[in-house]
Amino acid sequence: MEYLESRIKVLLSQARQLEIKVAQHQVDWGVWELKEETDIPPQYLLDGDDEFVSPFYGILQSIYLSAVCYLDTRNLEHYLGVFYKIFGRDPLCLNYRDKFEMDHYWSGEPYSVFLAKMNVFLSSFEFMESSSEKYDRVSGLQYLETVLKNTAVIISKNNLSPKTETEVYNAVKSTLGFIFTSSKSPKSNFIKTAKEYKPDILIPELYAAVEYKYAADEQKLKSTIEQIAADVKGYTGDKDYSVFYAVFYATDDFWGQAKFSKVWNEQGFPKNWIPIYIVGR
């Protein structure tokens, strides 16, 4: 049993070392196929198949077979049935084997959907506790995002009528303090030569920072987006924070979500900056 647990962890580690290279190789294939300059693939793509893709597929197959053996050894027939539903019954044609998505919440890099789902599936077992840390953080960020999107609801339930961004984020901050204990007394090092940058909310356990903006009219909404764009470079230099939320609390629906997203995208924000548009109640 211990051998299988150790083997699964080693195989997962080996797969993670290759997943970004495989994802980039997929992109390179896609770019070449779009160009359609020749019917013969360039040698560097064929070499990449041998160097990255084939070993990656072999490791995923070994993970699959080791997991099946582990579940079978522990007589977990029902959980084994769930496993087959997720990953399929054919180790030569695994579900999600070729699927990659972008991790906007954490690393900003592509990740293997197969590995992500395998980590979630195996996280029920004690031996996987440390291996699931990254995916636990992603879940935490999604929960944080849900709370931020409910800013107007939190304010309404507390019978508040905020007139400043401080009043807005303080209401949310008190709520987050019950969920993420590290947000109660956080520290940061966003210090530049002429200015110290202090996000409104910091959650160290998620490596996340939140900046709130308050807009009582359309012009103010526009200027606050421009202000955030100007401050982005200031929020660097602290390795403890890598995901940033910009929450815009508008007292009325001045633009609508579509226009807000368009204006935001025009500013060219980094992918680790996530905007949230809130209309006050």
Side-chain angles (χ1 to χ4, degrees):
M1 192 73 69
E2 289 183 4
Y3 168 77
L4 282 171
E5 292 176 347
S6 177
R7 176 171 171 77
I8 290 172
K9 293 184 70 172
V10 169
L11 289 169
L12 287 170
S13 178
Q14 292 174 349
R16 290 193 197 100
Q17 292 174 26
L18 285 173
E19 68 176 320
I20 294 177
K21 294 178 181 178
V22 174
Q24 184 57 56
H25 186 63
Q26 283 189 344
V27 172
D28 292 341
W29 264 109
V31 171
W32 176 78
E33 289 172 349
L34 286 174
K35 291 181 178 179
E36 295 184 347
E37 295 177 349
T38 175
D39 293 333
I40 303 175
Q43 189 60 45
Y44 75 90
L45 289 177
L46 300 176
D47 291 341
D49 285 349
D50 293 334
E51 184 178 358
F52 307 126
V53 179
S54 294
F56 185 71
Y57 286 170
I59 294 171
L60 296 191
Q61 183 180 349
S62 294
I63 292 172
Y64 175 96
L65 293 172
S66 295
V68 169
C69 184
Y70 182 74
L71 296 171
D72 198 38
T73 301
R74 295 191 59 168
N75 297 315
L76 298 173
E77 294 182 9
H78 178 72
Y79 209 45
L80 183 58
V82 175
F83 181 90
Y84 286 140
K85 287 182 179 180
I86 297 174
F87 302 103
R89 288 182 170 273
D90 185 355
L92 298 178
C93 187
L94 302 172
N95 294 343
Y96 308 106
R97 186 190 69 172
D98 301 305
K99 188 172 182 180
F100 287 79
E101 292 183 357
M102 187 64 67
D103 180 3
H104 296 297
Y105 291 105
W106 173 232
S107 65
E109 298 176 334
Y111 67 91
S112 163
V113 174
F114 177 93
L115 289 177
K117 289 184 176 294
M118 184 64 72
N119 270 277
V120 171
F121 182 87
L122 295 174
S123 64
S124 300
F125 301 106
E126 186 178 357
F127 79 93
M128 282 292 295
E129 185 173 351
S130 61
S131 301
S132 63
E133 180 181 354
K134 169 183 172 181
Y135 300 97
D136 289 343
R137 187 172 293 115
V138 171
S139 298
L141 285 168
Q142 291 172 337
Y143 194 93
L144 168 63
E145 189 170 320
T146 299
V147 173
L148 297 179
K149 288 180 177 179
N150 281 279
T151 294
V153 176
I154 293 171
I155 289 173
S156 177
K157 287 189 175 181
N158 283 282
N159 297 316
L160 301 174
S161 299
K163 303 299 181 185
T164 65
E165 64 186 51
T166 302
E167 293 176 352
V168 174
Y169 73 69
N170 276 340
V172 178
K173 190 173 184 178
S174 62
T175 299
L176 289 172
F178 293 106
I179 304 169
F180 304 105
T181 56
S182 66
S183 67
K184 294 181 180 179
S185 55
K187 297 179 181 179
S188 69
N189 294 303
F190 299 113
I191 302 174
K192 304 302 177 183
T193 304
K195 183 178 181 180
E196 179 178 359
Y197 292 83
K198 293 183 178 180
D200 298 319
I201 299 174
L202 292 168
I203 305 180
E205 65 197 86
L206 299 180
Y207 297 86
V210 182
E211 184 74 13
Y212 266 88
K213 292 298 178 185
Y214 180 93
D217 55 57
E218 185 175 355
Q219 181 56 40
K220 182 63 175 178
L221 180 58
K222 181 176 183 294
S223 65
T224 54
I225 291 180
E226 294 172 346
Q227 182 182 347
I228 289 288
D231 286 348
V232 163
K233 291 183 179 180
Y235 290 107
T236 57
D238 192 329
K239 61 181 178 59
D240 291 333
Y241 299 94
S242 58
V243 180
F244 301 89
Y245 288 91
V247 185
F248 296 85
Y249 183 90
T251 56
D252 201 353
D253 192 6
F254 304 117
W255 285 349
Q257 182 62 52
K259 182 175 179 179
F260 172 82
S261 297
K262 182 176 184 295
V263 175
W264 174 270
N265 292 332
E266 288 174 349
Q267 295 292 331
F269 284 92
K271 290 183 178 180
N272 63 332
W273 276 81
I274 302 168
I276 296 177
Y277 179 59
I278 303 293
V279 178
R281 298 187 175 185

